[in-house]
Amino acid sequence: MRRKGGRRGRTQDVEAALDELYITPPADFVARREELAAALKADGRPEDARRIHGARRPTLAAWAANLLLRSRPEESRQFLELGEALREAYRTLDAEALRELSAQRRQVVSGLSRQAAQLASDSGHRLSDAVRQDVESTLLAVLSDPEAAEQWATGRLHSALTPPSVFPADGGEPGAAAPKRPRSAPGPARTAAPPARTASKDELAERRRERQARLTAARKAAEEAERRLAALRAEQADADAAVGQARDRRDRAEQQVSAAERQLHQAREDLDRAEDHQRDAEERRAETSDALARAEEEARKAAKEVDRLGARVR
């Protein structure tokens, strides 16, 4: 691990190491944790080493949620803002207004869950249906619970989160609590003076304006998150198409290589046969040359014998 100057630099160094550790696939988490801790200990930093060593191995769902936060920072920021807007709307809006946001909430959670599953798959880890449900549960918890949002924002979850039952679930599912309304103070309302009624009306109108403003903000945050998800889906589709084209090119190249390898193999066999033929021909040529030399020698001897015999006859 690279040493940085000063205590602050060392703290940032450890924080960066923890960030890296929690986007390490769970199967490699322990080995990487021990490696980082050993490096810090060897660097004379036992406290930092103990902190790293104390990091808990995340579940697959928690790791995927951490990976989503680190890999999609802008979408994650918008998602956290959407959660703030929805929680504020829940504190002030009626059930009907919240039902209008529930469909957008489900779509955003589903889209981000698919993004997390794709990121995990790209890292070599396919998420099962059960794990994807845990990821969705974690994202719903982030929307509904500020403490869960703070935990996810650290990027260091070690287990999936569960949304609280009091957050409105899709327009009134069992177990979902309705928003609380302020109760009017007991008293003889019929005998209230006209100025008090006017003040009450003004207060009610102000509350309605505030609720409408919060609803508008929540809708805007949800729409922005949906637009970003749509853009990501388009990018994903383009990436998928590029991967498909690259695979096609690779397949064609492999076919060409296979054909070239077959041709090379055939050429080598042809070369081996040609070399065999050449050796046979050279051997036959050598044998023929030896026979020709012997025949020429015998012819010379025969010619000399003829000349000798002819001289005697004369």
Side-chain angles (χ1 to χ4, degrees):
M1 181 175 294
R2 183 176 58 187
R3 181 191 293 268
K4 295 183 179 180
R7 183 179 182 84
R8 183 178 178 183
R10 289 190 172 192
T11 300
Q12 292 175 344
D13 193 20
V14 174
E15 296 299 327
L18 286 168
D19 290 341
E20 175 205 339
L21 192 57
Y22 275 94
I23 57 173
T24 300
D28 304 325
F29 181 89
V30 173
R32 183 55 179 158
R33 182 186 65 188
E34 298 306 311
E35 180 184 353
L36 292 170
L40 287 168
K41 187 175 181 180
D43 199 27
R45 300 162 61 182
E47 293 183 4
D48 292 338
R50 281 193 293 271
R51 186 180 176 194
I52 292 293
H53 195 268
R56 296 178 59 182
R57 179 179 180 269
T59 64
L60 199 56
W63 166 73
N66 294 333
L67 189 62
L68 175 67
L69 179 81
R70 297 298 180 189
S71 302
R72 298 287 187 270
E74 181 60 23
E75 297 87 321
S76 299
R77 181 188 63 78
Q78 293 175 0
F79 187 68
L80 290 168
E81 291 176 354
L82 174 61
E84 292 178 1
L86 283 171
R87 291 191 296 274
E88 180 64 22
Y90 174 60
R91 284 191 291 270
T92 57
L93 295 178
D94 57 25
E96 182 178 357
L98 282 169
R99 256 194 303 287
E100 296 178 9
L101 292 171
S102 64
Q104 292 175 321
R105 176 167 59 92
R106 289 194 305 273
Q107 185 174 357
V108 171
V109 168
S110 177
L112 283 179
S113 175
R114 286 194 295 272
Q115 286 290 316
Q118 185 61 51
L119 289 168
S121 178
D122 292 343
S123 298
H125 297 272
R126 183 180 177 277
L127 302 187
S128 66
D129 291 340
V131 173
R132 290 190 62 170
Q133 288 177 1
D134 285 343
V135 173
E136 289 192 6
S137 173
T138 297
L139 294 175
L140 285 171
V142 170
L143 282 182
S144 56
D145 184 359
E147 292 184 2
E150 290 179 2
Q151 291 179 44
W152 183 59
T154 66
R156 299 174 189 173
L157 293 180
H158 56 78
S159 61
L161 303 176
T162 303
S165 60
V166 297
F167 195 77
D170 302 336
E173 290 181 355
K180 295 180 180 179
R181 295 176 178 272
R183 297 180 179 178
S184 57
R190 294 179 180 273
T191 60
R197 288 198 299 271
T198 302
S200 178
K201 290 180 180 179
D202 291 343
E203 183 180 354
L204 180 59
E206 180 62 25
R207 289 177 181 173
R208 286 176 178 171
R209 284 193 293 271
E210 290 178 357
R211 287 198 297 267
Q212 187 59 43
R214 293 188 180 100
L215 175 60
T216 300
R219 284 172 174 164
K220 182 177 179 181
E223 290 170 357
E224 179 63 26
E226 286 183 8
R227 282 195 294 270
R228 184 60 182 168
L229 284 172
L232 284 172
R233 291 190 189 105
E235 292 178 6
Q236 184 66 49
D238 292 342
D240 290 342
V243 169
Q245 293 173 358
R247 286 174 177 169
D248 291 341
R249 289 194 295 270
R250 184 196 64 188
D251 292 342
R252 289 195 296 270
E254 287 179 348
Q255 292 173 359
Q256 292 173 353
V257 168
S258 297
E261 288 177 344
R262 288 193 298 271
Q263 292 175 355
L264 178 60
H265 180 71
Q266 184 63 43
R268 284 175 175 166
E269 290 183 347
D270 293 342
L271 177 61
D272 290 341
R273 285 193 295 270
E275 289 177 346
D276 291 340
H277 293 160
Q278 180 181 353
R279 283 193 296 270
D280 293 342
E282 288 176 348
E283 289 176 358
R284 290 194 299 271
R285 183 183 66 180
E287 293 173 355
T288 303
S289 297
D290 291 343
L292 177 60
R294 288 194 298 271
E296 289 176 345
E297 181 63 25
E298 291 175 355
R300 283 195 296 272
K301 290 179 179 179
K304 288 181 179 180
E305 182 65 18
V306 170
D307 291 343
R308 185 178 65 80
L309 293 173
R312 286 182 179 180
V313 170
R314 288 194 297 267

